Structures are given as C-alpha cells and as structure tokens.
Amino acid sequence: MNLLIVEDEPNVVSVISRGLTEEGFEVSIAPDGLIGKQMALSNDFSLIILDIMLPGINGLELCKIIKEQKPNTPVIMLTALGTTENVVTGLDNGADDYLIKPFKFAELFARIRTLLRRYSGAAVSDQIIQIADLKINVSAKTVQRNNTDITLTATEYRLLEFMAKNKSKILSRIDILESVWDIDFNLGTNVVDVYVNYLRKKIDKNYEPKLIRTAVGLGYVLKEQ
Ligand code: CA
C-alpha cells in the first residue's frame, strides 16, 4: 500500500515515513503543496497525510481539490496546536480525520489503520497465523491456544512467530538463534533449548496435539502432525 505524505517539515516527514516503512507501507513524500497536488491527482494512493501549513498550496485548499477528484482517498490532516479553526475548515473540506502536532507515531498509525479499514474493508485486517488450535495474531502480537489467551515474553513471542512462519520446516539452533536473538549478541545455542522449553510449557504442556517437535540432531520444528 502506498501512502503520500505532503509535509514541508523534514523532522515530521522522517518520523512518519520511517514508522510507516517499518509497518510495511510504501511511502511517497511531497515537500510542498504544488508537488503534493500533482502527485495526489496523478496516482492512486491508499491514504494521504496532509499538513495544513504548506508552501505552494496550503493543505486546506489541497484537501478540497483532492476530495473533489479522488473522493475515495482517505485524508488525514496534520495541524499545529491551537488552530482549531483550521481543523474545522479541514473537516469541512473533506478531511477524514486530523491530528494535532506534536503527536505520537502510534496515534497516527492507529488513525491510519482505522481509515484504511473504513475505506477498504478487510485490506488491513489483522494477520493471523493458525496451526491446529494455536492462533497467533501477528498484528497484535497475541497468542491463543484452544481460544485461551497465552501470555508470552517478548523473546518467547519472537521465537514462536519465527517457528510458526516457518511451519513444518526443521530449524537448526543456529537458524533460530540468528533470527530470534541479535546476531551480535554472543550466546551459546543452548539458550535456544532453554527458550523452546519455556515455550513448550506455555503452548504445548496443557494442550493436544503437541506442536513443537524436536528433530534429533537437527533442531526444532513446529507442525501439526
Ligand atoms: Ca508545515
């Protein structure tokens, strides 16, 4: 999904674009209103983040133009503190939501998800990995077995997600160590055995079928049968 950021403040652009890239979005950037207009109208973006105070064309005018020509593109306006009139005008001009600067990326991301869901149905629905009755919600990083919530530590979760994404593949201790732990962190591979045991206690001990198997001499595998 490609998102457009129309914003002239490099710091804001850098925070938003880094966050969105990490979340798996493609990000296009327009540093002023004129470039923003040209990019917004000549492409189909999944969502546009629009600053109000912009060189060229201001965000309020630009929002109106975008919404006239691309009514199905959601727009979030960014505004500086204390300019409530701007916010009202932005919403009058068709903006779907707004955020007041300074804001936390998490807050912006939550608004983006909500809007994308509203506009495109299941396009950004939560990603679930299911193996037998084990359910891993990769978006929320939550785990259930037999519909019971299981609390994992961050490391246990990373280990489980890595094994689940490589379902039915035998993973060597080195594969696991390099993917789940920082490679520069100098640990022996027995840390893998220790954590696989922690994970077994939480996701397998009280449930059937057992999902984590030992491949003797090779490593571990997560699979149904
Ligand atoms: Ca600005």
Side-chain angles (χ1 to χ4, degrees):
M1 251 184 259
N2 197 356
L3 273 50
L4 174 65
I5 305 170
V6 190
E7 166 65 270
D8 59 318
E9 286 167 62
N11 291 343
V12 179
V13 171
S14 124
V15 169
I16 301 175
S17 64
R18 193 181 330 129
L20 288 174
T21 308
E22 278 170 15
E23 295 293 344
F25 292 100
E26 279 175 53
V27 176
S28 302
I29 294 159
D32 70 43
L34 288 169
I35 296 171
K37 177 183 169 190
Q38 192 256 326
M39 288 173 78
L41 299 184
S42 59
N43 296 279
D44 283 319
F45 289 102
S46 305
L47 182 142
I48 297 174
I49 298 165
L50 194 51
D51 187 31
I52 290 185
M53 301 290 282
L54 284 169
I57 306 174
N58 80 51
L60 296 171
E61 256 178 77
L62 183 50
C63 182
K64 200 173 177 188
I65 296 167
I66 292 170
K67 281 295 184 176
E68 276 165 6
Q69 301 200 28
K70 301 262 182 184
N72 294 322
T73 304
V75 175
I76 297 181
M77 311 270 329
L78 302 179
T79 179
L81 267 173
T83 48
T84 28
E85 266 177 35
N86 281 350
V87 170
V88 173
T89 317
L91 296 175
D92 284 348
N93 285 355
D96 296 279
D97 203 350
Y98 67 92
L99 265 183
I100 294 171
K101 292 180 189 173
F103 53 83
K104 292 204 166 71
F105 176 76
E107 195 185 343
L108 173 65
F109 186 57
R111 308 279 184 101
I112 289 173
R113 284 174 61 88
T114 304
L115 275 182
L116 289 175
R117 249 195 221 116
R118 196 196 300 161
Y119 272 79
S120 59
V124 284
S125 62
D126 288 344
Q127 195 195 341
I128 309 273
I129 302 175
Q130 179 151 11
I131 299 165
D133 60 356
L134 171 73
K135 275 187 214 155
I136 304 169
N137 183 324
V138 177
S139 319
K141 303 202 189 306
T142 55
V143 176
Q144 288 187 330
R145 251 205 106 166
N146 191 24
N147 297 318
T148 305
D149 291 327
I150 295 175
T151 306
L152 299 181
T153 65
T155 306
E156 289 164 355
Y157 176 81
R158 283 201 305 276
L159 174 61
L160 179 64
E161 188 185 303
F162 175 66
M163 294 184 81
K165 283 182 171 167
N166 291 285
K167 185 184 128 171
S168 303
K169 273 189 223 158
I170 294 175
L171 302 166
S172 73
R173 289 172 176 79
I174 294 289
D175 291 336
I176 295 174
L177 194 63
E178 288 185 349
S179 303
V180 177
W181 280 268
D182 190 337
I183 305 172
D184 298 332
F185 194 49
N186 191 15
L187 291 164
T189 51
N190 66 342
V191 72
V192 173
D193 302 312
V194 170
Y195 271 88
V196 167
N197 272 328
Y198 291 159
L199 203 50
R200 276 184 161 143
K201 280 188 191 134
K202 291 188 177 174
I203 69 150
D204 266 350
K205 189 166 173 245
N206 300 318
Y207 304 94
E208 289 296 337
K210 307 300 180 203
L211 299 174
I212 299 176
R213 312 300 175 92
T214 304
V216 178
L218 298 171
Y220 295 100
V221 57
L222 181 71
K223 61 175 184 176
E224 277 172 60
Q225 290 301 318

